[in-house]
């Protein structure tokens, strides 16, 4: 089976304005990539974006309110296919969604664009003749980080457009179109390979990169695929593969190097100004942040589409994590528009765009705790310690935090501790693009009341969590099944 990805039309559309052999040109489509500084510069251009954040609207954290005269009708129409889970039932074209890029089509295009250009950099760096050891080392790092970047992109594509990894079926489960080398032709056919092959490629790339990159980045660590970012992604990868031992191993490797999670409780209690809190929350200097990525959407404008984080707010209040009502900013007393306080920085930023954390120390603690619970069939002292740490760093009132920590002593089996872990994790990463993947991994049901009905994923089928490939991909590729 072949997928003929039309590179010029599919991947450049909306990103580049030329139908030349763009892979022979620099990422910004202006100059050739010839020197080592050219390669290093363009490697930075290919860093991941937060293109998966549209999935927040697919989760149990949001509801839709069809307020006539208050929402922007066209915006609602372009967001509802995501919220109503239509993208998991049928393929849709780019014209169906917001032009800002907040949709699965942009996630598909940009990730493949980065993969292809990473292969180009790998080829260029491999053919370049270094004149000294310093140049040789720089080229090795370029290749390693290009591998890590394309590994991340392949992983995210599989996480969005393929089934949840199951070791028993991964060899036969359909994955995604796979690019295994650089090709500068404008039209190239690529096979869809199994999910097992995709994950094996991601694993190989990450382990290869891990053995090459420097132990310490000279500067800008959150904005490059550092050794710590690679370790964090390996922790996530092995959790998805149900390889509990390796998840624990690479989580340990990361947390020995950097083990301080974000203390959200301390931030929320010490900073009352919305913009200042937001700025501090997303400060790349936070030791928890292993990799930051740019975003291409305006989260604060969700309510213009009728989308509100009421369920997330209700969960926090019921769980004792928002006792003073400071999780959200209420932008309208009349319509009760709620926007997560952590995104208050949008108010003072003209473009409403800034970097968001993609891989964090906090996530690795959750990964290690989950893998330990699954491996041992229940809580251990180690997983209790990880969960207790994460609970203490959230905004729970003291009584609630003490209750949850004490309750672990009476928990048996897997279900109860996993429910607690996923609840705390849902609070920690609310509106940050993490929840959908936890729901997919554990087949958590979701039901959304949309404009014309109720749309439900009941958790019985892994296929129900798979986002369909964009219409353009299907119509341009008749061989696609």
């Amino acid at each position: 089976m072949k997928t003929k990805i039309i590179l010029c039309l599919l991947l450049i559309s909306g990103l580049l304005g030329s139908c030349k052999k763009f892979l022979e040109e620099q990422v910004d489509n202006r100059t050739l990539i010839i020197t080592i500084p050219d390669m290093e510069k363009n490697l930075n251009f290919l860093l991941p974006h937060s293109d998966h954040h549209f999935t927040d609207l697919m989760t149990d954290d949001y509801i839709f309110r069809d307020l006539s005269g208050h929402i922007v009708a066209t915006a609602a129409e372009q967001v509802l296919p995501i919220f109503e889970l239509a993208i998991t039932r049928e393929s849709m074209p780019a014209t169906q969604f917001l032009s800002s890029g907040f949709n699965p089509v942009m996630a598909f295009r940009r990730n493949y664009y980065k993969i292809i250009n990473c292969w180009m950099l790998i080829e260029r760096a491999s053919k370049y003749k270094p004149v000294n050891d310093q140049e040789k080392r720089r080229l090795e790092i370029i290749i390693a980080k290009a591998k890590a970047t394309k590994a991340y992109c392949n992983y995210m594509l599989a996480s969005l457009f393929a089934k949840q990894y199951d070791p028993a079926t991964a060899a036969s489960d359909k994955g995604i179109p796979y690019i295994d080398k650089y090709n500068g032709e404008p039209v190239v056919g690529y096979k869809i390979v199994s999910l097992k092959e995709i994950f094996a490629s991601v694993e190989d790339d990450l382990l290869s990169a891990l053995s090459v990159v420097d132990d310490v980045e000279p500067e800008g660590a959150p904005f490059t695929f550092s050794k710590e970012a690679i370790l964090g992604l390996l922790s996530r990868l092995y959790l998805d593969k149900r390889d509990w031992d390796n998840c624990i191993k690479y989580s340990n490797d990361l947390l020995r190097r950097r083990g301080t999670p974000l203390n959200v409780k301390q931030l929320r209690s010490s900073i009352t100004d919305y913009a200042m809190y937001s700025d501090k929350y997303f400060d790349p200097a936070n030791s928890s942040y292993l990799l930051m990525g740019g975003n291409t959407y305006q989260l604060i404008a969700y309510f213009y589409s009728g989308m509100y984080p009421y369920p997330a707010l209700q969960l926090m209040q019921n769980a004792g994590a928002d006792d003073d009502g400071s999780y959200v900013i209420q932008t309208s007393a009349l319509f009760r528009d709620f926007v997560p306080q952590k995104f208050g920085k949008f108010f003072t930023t003209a473009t409403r765009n800034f970097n968001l954390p993609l891989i964090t120390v906090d996530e690795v603690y959750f990964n290690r705790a989950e893998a330990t619970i699954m491996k041992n069939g229940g809580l251990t002292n180690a997983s209790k310690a990880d969960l207790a740490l994460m609970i203490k760093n959230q905004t729970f009132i003291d009584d609630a935090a003490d209750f949850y920590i004490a309750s672990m002593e009476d928990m048996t089996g897997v279900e109860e501790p996993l429910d607690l872990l996923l609840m705390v994790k849902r609070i920690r990463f609310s509106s940050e693009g993490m929840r959908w993947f936890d729901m997919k991994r554990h087949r958590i049901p979701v039901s959304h009341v949309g404009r014309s009905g109720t749309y439900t994923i009941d958790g019985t089928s892994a296929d129900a969590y798979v986002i369909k490939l964009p219409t353009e991909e299907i119509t341009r590729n008749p061989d696609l099944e």
Side-chain angles (χ1 to χ4, degrees), residues 356-370:
L356 298 176
L358 300 181
I359 305 174
T360 67
V361 167
D362 302 55
E363 180 198 347
V364 175
Y365 274 111
F366 284 114
N367 293 346
R368 184 170 72 175
E370 183 172 334

Side-chain angles (χ1 to χ4, degrees), residues 36 39-40 43-44 46-48 114-115 117-126 135-154 201-215 217 224-231 233-234 291:
I36 292 178
M39 298 178 204
E40 292 169 334
L43 183 64
N44 290 333
L46 295 174
L47 282 174
K114 292 176 185 294
I115 290 169
N117 280 280
C118 282
W119 273 117
M120 177 195 63
L121 285 179
I122 291 170
E123 181 185 76
R124 293 292 174 87
S126 298
E135 284 196 349
K136 180 181 178 182
R137 179 61 182 158
R138 289 170 71 184
L139 291 165
E140 290 172 346
I141 292 176
I142 289 169
I143 292 171
K145 292 188 175 183
K147 285 182 177 181
T149 300
K150 72 181 179 74
Y152 178 93
C153 293
N154 273 315
S201 170
V202 171
E203 182 178 7
D204 288 346
D205 277 343
L206 291 177
L207 293 177
S208 173
L210 183 67
S211 67
V212 173
V213 295
D214 291 328
D215 280 340
E217 293 293 327
T224 186
F225 249 110
S226 65
K227 179 160 288 189
E228 291 170 343
I230 295 169
L231 288 169
L233 186 52
L234 281 166
L291 183 68

Side-chain angles (χ1 to χ4, degrees), residues 34-166:
I34 298 173
T35 67
I36 292 178
D38 287 339
M39 298 178 204
E40 292 169 334
K41 178 181 178 181
N42 285 284
L43 183 64
N44 290 333
F45 290 156
L46 295 174
L47 282 174
H49 277 65
S50 59
D51 291 312
H52 59 283
H53 277 72
F54 69 88
T55 59
D56 273 332
L57 298 189
M58 302 168 69
T59 72
D60 47 8
D61 278 345
Y62 279 83
I63 65 167
F64 173 63
R65 296 180 66 205
D66 199 358
L67 301 175
S68 178
H70 182 57
I71 66 173
V72 178
T74 54
E77 290 166 1
Q78 292 174 311
V79 169
L80 276 171
I82 301 172
F83 177 79
E84 293 178 347
L85 308 170
I87 58 175
T88 66
R89 300 188 299 272
E90 59 184 301
S91 297
M92 292 191 170
T95 54
Q96 179 65 61
F97 304 105
L98 293 170
S99 60
S100 64
F102 185 71
N103 60 67
V105 179
M106 179 57 77
F108 185 90
R109 291 177 175 176
R110 200 195 311 262
N111 278 301
Y112 275 114
Y113 167 75
K114 292 176 185 294
I115 290 169
I116 293 167
N117 280 280
C118 282
W119 273 117
M120 177 195 63
L121 285 179
I122 291 170
E123 181 185 76
R124 293 292 174 87
S126 298
K127 291 181 177 180
Y128 192 94
K129 303 299 182 183
V131 298
N132 53 43
D133 289 342
Q134 182 185 42
E135 284 196 349
K136 180 181 178 182
R137 179 61 182 158
R138 289 170 71 184
L139 291 165
E140 290 172 346
I141 292 176
I142 289 169
I143 292 171
K145 292 188 175 183
K147 285 182 177 181
T149 300
K150 72 181 179 74
Y152 178 93
C153 293
N154 273 315
Y155 173 79
M156 290 308 302
L157 285 164
S159 298
L160 294 168
F161 298 101
K163 288 172 61 177
Q164 177 62 36
Y165 191 96
D166 183 340

Side-chain angles (χ1 to χ4, degrees), residues 146-379:
K147 285 182 177 181
T149 300
K150 72 181 179 74
Y152 178 93
C153 293
N154 273 315
Y155 173 79
M156 290 308 302
L157 285 164
S159 298
L160 294 168
F161 298 101
K163 288 172 61 177
Q164 177 62 36
Y165 191 96
D166 183 340
T169 62
S172 58
D173 287 337
K174 183 163 61 174
I176 56 172
Y178 180 61
I179 300 173
D180 62 355
K181 62 183 177 181
Y182 168 65
N183 190 322
E185 295 301 316
V187 180
V188 184
Y190 295 111
K191 293 190 303 181
I192 285 184
V193 302
S194 73
L195 197 55
K196 183 175 182 178
E197 291 174 88
I198 293 295
F199 271 65
S201 170
V202 171
E203 182 178 7
D204 288 346
D205 277 343
L206 291 177
L207 293 177
S208 173
L210 183 67
S211 67
V212 173
V213 295
D214 291 328
D215 280 340
V216 179
E217 293 293 327
E219 59 183 357
F223 299 101
T224 186
F225 249 110
S226 65
K227 179 160 288 189
E228 291 170 343
I230 295 169
L231 288 169
L233 186 52
L234 281 166
S235 166
R236 185 192 300 181
L237 174 75
Y238 287 121
L239 181 69
D240 264 352
K241 289 187 69 175
R242 304 183 190 178
D243 184 343
W244 315 130
D245 287 334
N246 270 320
C247 177
I248 295 168
K249 167 183 162 49
Y250 288 101
S251 297
N252 288 341
D253 288 349
L254 181 280
L255 296 173
R256 277 193 293 266
R257 295 170 59 91
R258 192 191 300 193
T260 304
L262 186 67
N263 192 329
V264 184
K265 185 171 187 175
Q266 190 276 330
L267 285 180
R268 281 266 296 276
S269 61
S270 63
I271 303 174
T272 57
D273 178 80
Y274 294 147
M276 187 180 300
Y277 168 73
S278 180
D279 190 63
K280 189 65 176 175
Y281 185 97
F282 291 112
D283 186 350
N286 285 328
S287 61
S288 170
Y289 296 158
L290 307 177
L291 183 68
M292 304 287 284
N295 74 87
T296 58
Y297 66 96
Q298 298 182 15
L299 183 142
I300 202 166
Y302 277 10
F303 58 82
Y304 290 121
S305 304
M307 301 295 165
Y308 300 85
Y310 286 154
L313 172 62
Q314 187 176 37
L315 168 70
M316 291 188 182
Q317 291 179 336
N318 292 342
D322 191 40
D323 186 55
D324 59 357
S326 64
Y327 168 66
V328 296
I329 305 166
Q330 186 169 331
T331 63
S332 165
L334 178 62
F335 294 106
R336 289 175 59 80
D337 297 335
F338 286 165
V339 177
Q341 186 198 74
K342 67 175 77 170
F343 292 99
K345 184 174 180 178
F346 278 119
F347 280 125
T348 57
T349 305
T351 63
R352 294 179 176 174
N353 291 325
F354 59 96
N355 290 297
L356 298 176
L358 300 181
I359 305 174
T360 67
V361 167
D362 302 55
E363 180 198 347
V364 175
Y365 274 111
F366 284 114
N367 293 346
R368 184 170 72 175
E370 183 172 334
T372 304
I373 291 168
M374 297 303 295
K375 176 182 177 180
N376 293 281
L379 285 167

Side-chain angles (χ1 to χ4, degrees), residues 402-468:
D402 291 343
F403 170 79
Y404 293 127
I405 293 171
S407 70
M408 288 191 283
E409 298 303 323
D410 298 321
M411 290 182 179
T412 58
V414 167
E415 185 175 353
E416 285 184 292
L418 271 184
D419 285 346
L420 176 61
L421 183 152
L422 292 172
M423 183 269 286
V424 178
K425 189 176 181 182
R426 181 181 175 188
I427 291 172
R428 167 63 184 86
F429 293 109
S430 178
S431 294
E432 293 186 42
M434 184 71 70
R435 177 64 175 168
W436 174 252
F437 303 107
D438 287 340
M439 294 180 69
K440 178 182 177 182
R441 188 168 68 259
H442 293 286
R443 293 195 197 176
I444 297 173
V446 60
S447 185
H448 286 168
V449 178
R451 176 164 279 171
S452 57
T454 300
Y455 304 89
T456 300
I457 295 176
D458 64 12
T460 60
S461 172
D463 289 317
Y465 297 85
V466 177
I467 298 172
K468 304 303 181 185

